[in-house]
Amino acid sequence: MSSETEHGYLVLADISGYTSFLAKVELDHAHEILTDLLEVIVRQFKTMLTISKLEGDAVFANVNEARLPRPEALLELVENTYIEFCRRRDSSQRRTTCQCRACQSMPSLELKFLVHHGDYIVQHISGIRELVGSDVNLIHRLTKNHICETTGWKSYLLCTQAALKCIDLQMEGLHQQAESYEHLGEVTTFSFDMQARYKELMETRHMILPSEDADMNLTYEFDKPVSYVWQFITDPKILTQTMREDGYWSVIKRPGGRYGPGAQNHCSHGRGVMAYTYLDWRPFQYFTAEAVEGKMKHLEMFMVEPAENEGRTKFTVRLKLVAPFPRWIRRILASYLAKPQFLEFFEKSKILMESSDGKG
């Protein structure tokens, strides 16, 4: 037997409504539906988290805090997981021709998430990995809360105060509620409605910069998974480390306290300040931004996707100058002014990633 104490995030995804669903429907089809939806959750979680255990209709996972250089990415992972869960549930229901109660009742299934930060022991007994500790007990006790009764939400993300403090966001519109448990005392929680968040995310417009419209296309490959590279290229503190001594990135605006369309950073350097405004934000896929410095303006699109070799990431940058010049002139300017800076960024990023402790 071996064990080690870690500090990090504990995440529980629980399919809500499954108990009543199971009591009313045919067991065989209900099991197939549950297995399919659990596979969606596990596939999403495994991009960033370590799966600790499957617990009936729930998935329990964890991640060491050192592997989350930008903790907001954990919330983005939860939101992506919910989007994929809804897509699979709804598409499966549309495709089925089965009239059994299980298949016809699929829309009643929802998903709730619990996130906590604390200490836990990773215990290995006879090859079996187990998480133990008071914080592990707490997140499981939190599944019995009063959010649904208080808010009427069927699907939600609940963060403990400890988790929200470590994620370090000033999020707007959260529902604050205290839960009390024997031996654990009172726990302050902050929640938001996942159905409302899903609708908000689905209604945001896409803004793609096609490669044929770009004045510059560059591709680089990193020996890190997509989830880690995404955090790296979206964290102002990390981006500052890739700049020269006189440069730094700073946060200016976060609508609702989050990254997303309308969020803005400033990039300060020896020659001036560039205002960097995000126009489209698709976590773990791409973002599109407008960069303005003086009279100069250009569009950038950063994309991440799995490379052919497992565990590596293909990183693509597209740039388009917003200027009244023929395209051949814009391409020359982009190659002369922007390309050397991006090549330097790639190399510095590679060195920083190789020296980091986080493995994604």
Side-chain angles (χ1 to χ4, degrees):
M1 182 181 76
S2 63
S3 61
E4 53 185 298
T5 300
E6 291 191 11
H7 315 286
Y9 296 89
L10 302 167
V11 185
L12 190 63
D14 183 20
I15 299 179
S16 54
Y18 186 72
T19 301
S20 60
F21 169 81
L22 190 62
K24 301 174 184 177
V25 301
E26 296 79 3
L27 182 60
D28 288 347
H29 282 198
H31 176 71
E32 292 176 6
I33 292 167
L34 176 65
T35 300
D36 190 41
L37 294 176
L38 286 174
E39 286 178 349
V40 170
I41 299 169
V42 169
R43 185 165 56 250
Q44 291 293 316
F45 272 20
K46 285 177 69 176
T47 62
M48 185 183 294
L49 312 177
T50 299
I51 305 299
S52 178
K53 186 186 295 184
L54 297 181
E55 303 176 345
D57 56 358
V59 180
F60 179 44
N62 69 284
V63 60
N64 190 298
E65 61 185 12
R67 299 191 176 191
L68 279 181
R70 187 174 72 87
E72 185 181 353
L74 180 57
L75 301 186
E76 295 171 342
L77 174 69
V78 165
E79 291 165 347
N80 273 18
T81 301
Y82 184 70
I83 289 171
E84 293 305 315
F85 173 90
C86 292
R87 284 175 176 166
R88 178 58 63 86
R89 178 200 61 195
D90 296 345
S91 64
S92 296
Q93 204 280 327
R94 286 194 300 267
R95 290 198 310 266
T96 186
T97 58
C98 179
Q99 296 300 311
C100 77
R101 287 175 296 176
C103 292
Q104 295 305 309
S105 299
M106 272 190 279
S108 67
L109 296 175
E110 271 294 349
L111 191 58
K112 60 185 179 184
F113 299 90
L114 311 172
V115 178
H116 179 51
H117 183 278
D119 300 333
Y120 51 89
I121 293 176
V122 182
Q123 189 170 262
H124 300 272
I125 304 176
S126 300
I128 299 175
R129 182 181 182 275
E130 184 83 10
L131 299 190
V132 296
S134 178
D135 288 307
V136 176
N137 295 337
L138 173 59
I139 193 170
H140 284 87
R141 295 287 292 276
L142 280 168
T143 59
K144 306 299 182 183
N145 60 62
H146 301 88
I147 299 298
C148 290
E149 294 91 325
T150 305
T151 65
W153 298 340
K154 294 181 179 179
S155 180
Y156 56 83
L157 166 63
L158 179 153
C159 291
T160 63
Q161 189 171 33
L164 203 59
K165 180 180 179 181
C166 292
I167 294 173
D168 192 25
L169 293 177
Q170 302 299 318
M171 295 172 60
E172 299 175 4
L174 296 180
H175 170 74
Q176 182 176 343
Q177 183 167 311
E179 302 286 348
S180 184
Y181 302 98
E182 186 178 4
H183 307 305
L184 296 173
E186 188 172 278
V187 182
T188 302
T189 68
F190 298 86
S191 309
F192 63 79
D193 183 359
M194 287 301 300
Q195 289 182 337
R197 180 62 174 163
Y198 173 82
K199 183 180 179 181
E200 178 186 349
L201 292 172
M202 291 299 99
E203 290 177 349
T204 57
R205 71 188 182 107
H206 291 260
M207 186 168 182
I208 305 293
L209 177 57
S211 59
E212 59 270 22
D213 291 344
D215 298 319
M216 184 191 75
N217 289 274
L218 295 175
T219 300
Y220 199 85
E221 194 168 301
F222 291 112
D223 189 19
K224 291 285 185 180
V226 167
S227 62
Y228 187 83
V229 176
W230 173 259
Q231 295 178 75
F232 193 97
I233 65 173
T234 56
D235 187 337
K237 295 178 182 177
I238 296 178
L239 290 174
T240 294
Q241 297 179 56
T242 67
M243 299 186 67
R244 296 169 184 174
E245 291 183 4
D246 59 348
Y248 62 92
W249 284 80
S250 55
V251 175
I252 300 301
K253 183 181 179 181
R254 292 287 181 269
R258 296 285 305 277
Y259 256 112
Q264 188 179 86
N265 292 337
H266 276 186
C267 176
S268 302
H269 51 83
R271 299 182 304 276
V273 177
M274 178 180 70
Y276 201 81
T277 305
Y278 295 91
L279 307 176
D280 191 3
W281 184 264
R282 308 290 161 174
F284 313 109
Q285 298 177 51
Y286 72 88
F287 69 75
T288 306
E290 177 188 74
V292 179
E293 183 173 348
K295 295 182 180 180
M296 297 293 293
K297 180 191 296 187
H298 69 268
L299 297 177
E300 292 181 1
M301 184 175 179
F302 283 28
M303 296 178 291
V304 290
E305 59 185 314
E308 290 186 5
N309 295 327
E310 187 175 356
R312 295 178 64 88
T313 298
K314 179 183 177 183
F315 177 38
T316 301
V317 175
R318 295 174 183 168
L319 181 145
K320 180 178 181 178
L321 296 177
V322 181
F325 303 132
R327 189 175 185 186
W328 66 271
I329 293 180
R330 297 200 311 267
R331 285 186 167 185
I332 292 174
L333 289 173
S335 179
Y336 177 74
L337 297 175
K339 186 175 180 179
Q341 295 181 41
F342 277 107
L343 293 178
E344 182 179 354
F345 168 72
F346 292 155
E347 290 303 318
K348 287 186 175 181
S349 298
K350 178 183 177 182
I351 293 171
L352 278 174
M353 289 185 193
E354 289 175 348
S355 65
S356 67
D357 293 327
K359 303 300 180 182

